[in-house]
Amino acid sequence: MTDATDGNAGLPALRTIADYQFGAGAGEALFPTAETDSLTVKRTSSGRPRQVHADAGRLVSFGTDGRFTLGLEGGRRLKAALEHPAYRIVVDDESEPFVRDEKNVFSKFVLEAGSEIRPGDEVLVVHERGELIAVGRAELDAAAIGEFETGVAVFVREGAPAE
């Protein structure tokens, strides 16, 4: 792992934060021990972690509230590690092009939402066939997303280009 200020310091703490925020195993999924040499931690001038990048792209940014905001590559890693439907918002063909274009997800277009989702949680927006199409922040809890016919369910931060 290369680091802008102080070598390897902080990776175990970042894994712990990920496990707390997303559940056991998320820290190792986001920041695998075997991959430490290819991870780059960008820090603020005071030394606080700001972003973690892998060769494939940004994994996470570290918010001032002490929680991670996901990058698309971080979303891909969590999707592979977390059991369906954990931290997932599932949408269909009708929403897919808009979500990929970084438009927000509205409640009436959500087919399924992980039961643990609370407002403010980082979530994975996936197509019903299982493909990750965006990452963002939940605006409602899982129950409200399922019940509401109007309103934003997910503020989309980064969309995945169509393959």
Side-chain angles (χ1 to χ4, degrees):
M1 176 173 107
T2 57
D3 196 322
T5 58
D6 61 3
N8 294 330
L11 197 57
L14 295 177
R15 282 190 192 109
T16 300
I17 292 165
D19 284 345
Y20 177 78
Q21 185 173 342
F22 298 107
E28 185 62 29
L30 284 170
F31 318 115
T33 308
E35 189 187 5
T36 44
D37 291 340
S38 65
L39 296 179
T40 303
V41 178
K42 295 182 179 182
R43 296 181 180 270
T44 64
S45 58
S46 66
R48 187 176 73 78
R50 185 176 19 174
Q51 292 186 343
V52 181
H53 290 261
D55 294 338
R58 182 175 67 88
L59 299 174
V60 296
S61 294
F62 196 69
T64 55
D65 62 356
R67 294 173 45 165
F68 291 127
T69 58
L70 290 171
L72 206 50
E73 181 59 23
R76 285 185 186 105
R77 291 178 180 207
L78 281 182
K79 180 182 166 292
L82 300 176
E83 267 190 53
H84 181 86
Y87 292 97
R88 287 170 177 80
I89 300 291
V90 180
V91 299
D92 62 11
D93 289 332
E94 187 175 357
S95 297
E96 180 185 16
F98 300 102
V99 174
R100 285 185 185 279
D101 199 29
E102 299 179 357
K103 305 290 191 258
N104 296 332
V105 177
F106 287 86
S107 295
K108 72 183 200 175
F109 297 109
V110 173
L111 302 176
E112 182 180 12
S115 61
E116 73 289 329
I117 295 173
R118 300 167 303 197
D121 280 350
E122 288 294 302
V123 295
L124 315 172
V125 182
V126 297
H127 188 274
E128 61 187 332
R129 64 181 174 265
E131 179 185 359
L132 179 71
I133 59 174
V135 291
R137 181 187 68 234
E139 297 296 308
L140 302 167
D141 65 33
I145 290 171
E147 293 171 10
F148 289 8
E149 287 295 315
T150 61
V152 174
V154 179
F155 170 77
V156 174
R157 183 174 300 100
E158 187 176 353
E163 296 174 1

PDB file of all heavy atoms in Angstrom, residues 1-2 32 34-41 52-56 59 77:
ATOM      1  N   MET A   1       0.844  -1.179   0.000  1.00  0.00           N
ATOM      2  CA  MET A   1       0.000   0.000   0.000  1.00  0.00           C
ATOM      3  C   MET A   1       0.879   1.227   0.000  1.00  0.00           C
ATOM      4  O   MET A   1       1.766   1.351   0.814  1.00  0.00           O
ATOM      5  CB  MET A   1      -0.881  -0.015   1.243  1.00  0.00           C
ATOM      6  CG  MET A   1      -1.730   1.224   1.392  1.00  0.00           C
ATOM      7  SD  MET A   1      -2.875   1.045   2.739  1.00  0.00           S
ATOM      8  CE  MET A   1      -2.105   2.132   3.914  1.00  0.00           C
ATOM      9  N   THR A   2       0.633   2.149  -0.898  1.00  0.00           N
ATOM     10  CA  THR A   2       1.350   3.405  -0.875  1.00  0.00           C
ATOM     11  C   THR A   2       0.476   4.414  -0.167  1.00  0.00           C
ATOM     12  O   THR A   2      -0.737   4.339  -0.207  1.00  0.00           O
ATOM     13  CB  THR A   2       1.671   3.887  -2.295  1.00  0.00           C
ATOM     14  OG1 THR A   2       0.463   3.987  -3.009  1.00  0.00           O
ATOM     15  CG2 THR A   2       2.621   2.934  -2.987  1.00  0.00           C
ATOM     16  N   PRO A  32      -8.496  -5.811   0.723  1.00  0.00           N
ATOM     17  CA  PRO A  32      -7.936  -7.142   0.953  1.00  0.00           C
ATOM     18  C   PRO A  32      -6.485  -7.094   1.418  1.00  0.00           C
ATOM     19  O   PRO A  32      -5.696  -6.292   0.909  1.00  0.00           O
ATOM     20  CB  PRO A  32      -8.025  -7.825  -0.409  1.00  0.00           C
ATOM     21  CG  PRO A  32      -8.889  -6.971  -1.253  1.00  0.00           C
ATOM     22  CD  PRO A  32      -8.903  -5.616  -0.654  1.00  0.00           C
ATOM     23  N   ALA A  34      -4.201  -9.199   0.846  1.00  0.00           N
ATOM     24  CA  ALA A  34      -3.317  -9.600  -0.249  1.00  0.00           C
ATOM     25  C   ALA A  34      -3.055  -8.469  -1.237  1.00  0.00           C
ATOM     26  O   ALA A  34      -2.127  -8.539  -2.028  1.00  0.00           O
ATOM     27  CB  ALA A  34      -3.923 -10.785  -0.991  1.00  0.00           C
ATOM     28  N   GLU A  35      -3.856  -7.404  -1.182  1.00  0.00           N
ATOM     29  CA  GLU A  35      -3.757  -6.341  -2.178  1.00  0.00           C
ATOM     30  C   GLU A  35      -3.162  -5.058  -1.608  1.00  0.00           C
ATOM     31  O   GLU A  35      -3.182  -4.017  -2.262  1.00  0.00           O
ATOM     32  CB  GLU A  35      -5.149  -6.056  -2.743  1.00  0.00           C
ATOM     33  CG  GLU A  35      -5.147  -5.147  -3.927  1.00  0.00           C
ATOM     34  CD  GLU A  35      -6.541  -4.743  -4.365  1.00  0.00           C
ATOM     35  OE1 GLU A  35      -7.507  -5.093  -3.689  1.00  0.00           O
ATOM     36  OE2 GLU A  35      -6.635  -4.071  -5.382  1.00  0.00           O
ATOM     37  N   THR A  36      -2.608  -5.091  -0.426  1.00  0.00           N
ATOM     38  CA  THR A  36      -2.174  -3.860   0.218  1.00  0.00           C
ATOM     39  C   THR A  36      -1.190  -3.049  -0.609  1.00  0.00           C
ATOM     40  O   THR A  36      -1.175  -1.831  -0.519  1.00  0.00           O
ATOM     41  CB  THR A  36      -1.561  -4.132   1.609  1.00  0.00           C
ATOM     42  OG1 THR A  36      -0.703  -5.251   1.519  1.00  0.00           O
ATOM     43  CG2 THR A  36      -2.614  -4.360   2.638  1.00  0.00           C
ATOM     44  N   ASP A  37      -0.397  -3.676  -1.442  1.00  0.00           N
ATOM     45  CA  ASP A  37       0.578  -2.925  -2.235  1.00  0.00           C
ATOM     46  C   ASP A  37      -0.065  -2.079  -3.324  1.00  0.00           C
ATOM     47  O   ASP A  37       0.514  -1.100  -3.766  1.00  0.00           O
ATOM     48  CB  ASP A  37       1.602  -3.872  -2.863  1.00  0.00           C
ATOM     49  CG  ASP A  37       2.523  -4.489  -1.828  1.00  0.00           C
ATOM     50  OD1 ASP A  37       2.620  -3.920  -0.722  1.00  0.00           O
ATOM     51  OD2 ASP A  37       3.124  -5.524  -2.119  1.00  0.00           O
ATOM     52  N   SER A  38      -1.257  -2.451  -3.780  1.00  0.00           N
ATOM     53  CA  SER A  38      -1.879  -1.692  -4.859  1.00  0.00           C
ATOM     54  C   SER A  38      -2.923  -0.693  -4.362  1.00  0.00           C
ATOM     55  O   SER A  38      -3.574  -0.043  -5.171  1.00  0.00           O
ATOM     56  CB  SER A  38      -2.505  -2.639  -5.874  1.00  0.00           C
ATOM     57  OG  SER A  38      -3.559  -3.349  -5.284  1.00  0.00           O
ATOM     58  N   LEU A  39      -3.090  -0.548  -3.051  1.00  0.00           N
ATOM     59  CA  LEU A  39      -4.023   0.429  -2.500  1.00  0.00           C
ATOM     60  C   LEU A  39      -3.286   1.736  -2.216  1.00  0.00           C
ATOM     61  O   LEU A  39      -2.163   1.732  -1.729  1.00  0.00           O
ATOM     62  CB  LEU A  39      -4.653  -0.077  -1.209  1.00  0.00           C
ATOM     63  CG  LEU A  39      -5.538  -1.312  -1.321  1.00  0.00           C
ATOM     64  CD1 LEU A  39      -6.073  -1.697   0.050  1.00  0.00           C
ATOM     65  CD2 LEU A  39      -6.686  -1.080  -2.286  1.00  0.00           C
ATOM     66  N   THR A  40      -3.936   2.854  -2.533  1.00  0.00           N
ATOM     67  CA  THR A  40      -3.378   4.168  -2.266  1.00  0.00           C
ATOM     68  C   THR A  40      -4.338   4.916  -1.355  1.00  0.00           C
ATOM     69  O   THR A  40      -5.523   5.053  -1.683  1.00  0.00           O
ATOM     70  CB  THR A  40      -3.200   4.972  -3.570  1.00  0.00           C
ATOM     71  OG1 THR A  40      -2.379   4.220  -4.449  1.00  0.00           O
ATOM     72  CG2 THR A  40      -2.561   6.313  -3.300  1.00  0.00           C
ATOM     73  N   VAL A  41      -3.848   5.382  -0.228  1.00  0.00           N
ATOM     74  CA  VAL A  41      -4.647   6.181   0.691  1.00  0.00           C
ATOM     75  C   VAL A  41      -4.224   7.632   0.523  1.00  0.00           C
ATOM     76  O   VAL A  41      -3.068   7.974   0.751  1.00  0.00           O
ATOM     77  CB  VAL A  41      -4.447   5.734   2.160  1.00  0.00           C
ATOM     78  CG1 VAL A  41      -5.252   6.622   3.094  1.00  0.00           C
ATOM     79  CG2 VAL A  41      -4.839   4.283   2.338  1.00  0.00           C
ATOM     80  N   VAL A  52      -9.541   6.214  -0.627  1.00  0.00           N
ATOM     81  CA  VAL A  52      -8.746   5.012  -0.854  1.00  0.00           C
ATOM     82  C   VAL A  52      -9.009   4.572  -2.286  1.00  0.00           C
ATOM     83  O   VAL A  52     -10.163   4.410  -2.694  1.00  0.00           O
ATOM     84  CB  VAL A  52      -9.102   3.885   0.138  1.00  0.00           C
ATOM     85  CG1 VAL A  52      -8.229   2.661  -0.124  1.00  0.00           C
ATOM     86  CG2 VAL A  52      -8.965   4.355   1.574  1.00  0.00           C
ATOM     87  N   HIS A  53      -7.926   4.409  -3.028  1.00  0.00           N
ATOM     88  CA  HIS A  53      -7.998   4.008  -4.435  1.00  0.00           C
ATOM     89  C   HIS A  53      -7.303   2.667  -4.629  1.00  0.00           C
ATOM     90  O   HIS A  53      -6.315   2.374  -3.954  1.00  0.00           O
ATOM     91  CB  HIS A  53      -7.303   5.036  -5.336  1.00  0.00           C
ATOM     92  CG  HIS A  53      -8.027   6.331  -5.436  1.00  0.00           C
ATOM     93  ND1 HIS A  53      -8.833   6.645  -6.494  1.00  0.00           N
ATOM     94  CD2 HIS A  53      -8.083   7.402  -4.606  1.00  0.00           C
ATOM     95  CE1 HIS A  53      -9.340   7.845  -6.314  1.00  0.00           C
ATOM     96  NE2 HIS A  53      -8.899   8.323  -5.173  1.00  0.00           N
ATOM     97  N   ALA A  54      -7.818   1.892  -5.557  1.00  0.00           N
ATOM     98  CA  ALA A  54      -7.152   0.679  -6.044  1.00  0.00           C
ATOM     99  C   ALA A  54      -6.813   0.944  -7.501  1.00  0.00           C
ATOM    100  O   ALA A  54      -7.207   1.972  -8.060  1.00  0.00           O
ATOM    101  CB  ALA A  54      -8.073  -0.527  -5.916  1.00  0.00           C
ATOM    102  N   ASP A  55      -6.120   0.017  -8.123  1.00  0.00           N
ATOM    103  CA  ASP A  55      -5.774   0.186  -9.535  1.00  0.00           C
ATOM    104  C   ASP A  55      -7.016   0.364 -10.402  1.00  0.00           C
ATOM    105  O   ASP A  55      -7.001   1.097 -11.386  1.00  0.00           O
ATOM    106  CB  ASP A  55      -4.961  -1.010 -10.034  1.00  0.00           C
ATOM    107  CG  ASP A  55      -3.597  -1.092  -9.355  1.00  0.00           C
ATOM    108  OD1 ASP A  55      -3.113  -0.059  -8.838  1.00  0.00           O
ATOM    109  OD2 ASP A  55      -3.025  -2.196  -9.329  1.00  0.00           O
ATOM    110  N   ALA A  56      -8.122  -0.287 -10.032  1.00  0.00           N
ATOM    111  CA  ALA A  56      -9.349  -0.248 -10.824  1.00  0.00           C
ATOM    112  C   ALA A  56     -10.189   1.007 -10.596  1.00  0.00           C
ATOM    113  O   ALA A  56     -11.149   1.245 -11.310  1.00  0.00           O
ATOM    114  CB  ALA A  56     -10.194  -1.487 -10.536  1.00  0.00           C
ATOM    115  N   LEU A  59     -12.241   3.329  -4.287  1.00  0.00           N
ATOM    116  CA  LEU A  59     -13.009   2.406  -3.451  1.00  0.00           C
ATOM    117  C   LEU A  59     -13.965   3.184  -2.564  1.00  0.00           C
ATOM    118  O   LEU A  59     -15.170   2.932  -2.570  1.00  0.00           O
ATOM    119  CB  LEU A  59     -12.070   1.559  -2.590  1.00  0.00           C
ATOM    120  CG  LEU A  59     -11.092   0.665  -3.342  1.00  0.00           C
ATOM    121  CD1 LEU A  59     -10.139  -0.007  -2.365  1.00  0.00           C
ATOM    122  CD2 LEU A  59     -11.847  -0.369  -4.147  1.00  0.00           C
ATOM    123  N   ARG A  77     -16.815  -4.414  -5.146  1.00  0.00           N
ATOM    124  CA  ARG A  77     -16.223  -5.317  -4.147  1.00  0.00           C
ATOM    125  C   ARG A  77     -17.239  -5.713  -3.079  1.00  0.00           C
ATOM    126  O   ARG A  77     -17.290  -6.880  -2.680  1.00  0.00           O
ATOM    127  CB  ARG A  77     -14.998  -4.664  -3.513  1.00  0.00           C
ATOM    128  CG  ARG A  77     -13.854  -4.538  -4.490  1.00  0.00           C
ATOM    129  CD  ARG A  77     -12.668  -3.860  -3.878  1.00  0.00           C
ATOM    130  NE  ARG A  77     -11.596  -3.763  -4.858  1.00  0.00           N
ATOM    131  CZ  ARG A  77     -10.323  -3.708  -4.541  1.00  0.00           C
ATOM    132  NH1 ARG A  77      -9.942  -3.705  -3.274  1.00  0.00           N
ATOM    133  NH2 ARG A  77      -9.403  -3.619  -5.481  1.00  0.00           N
TER     134      ARG A  77
END
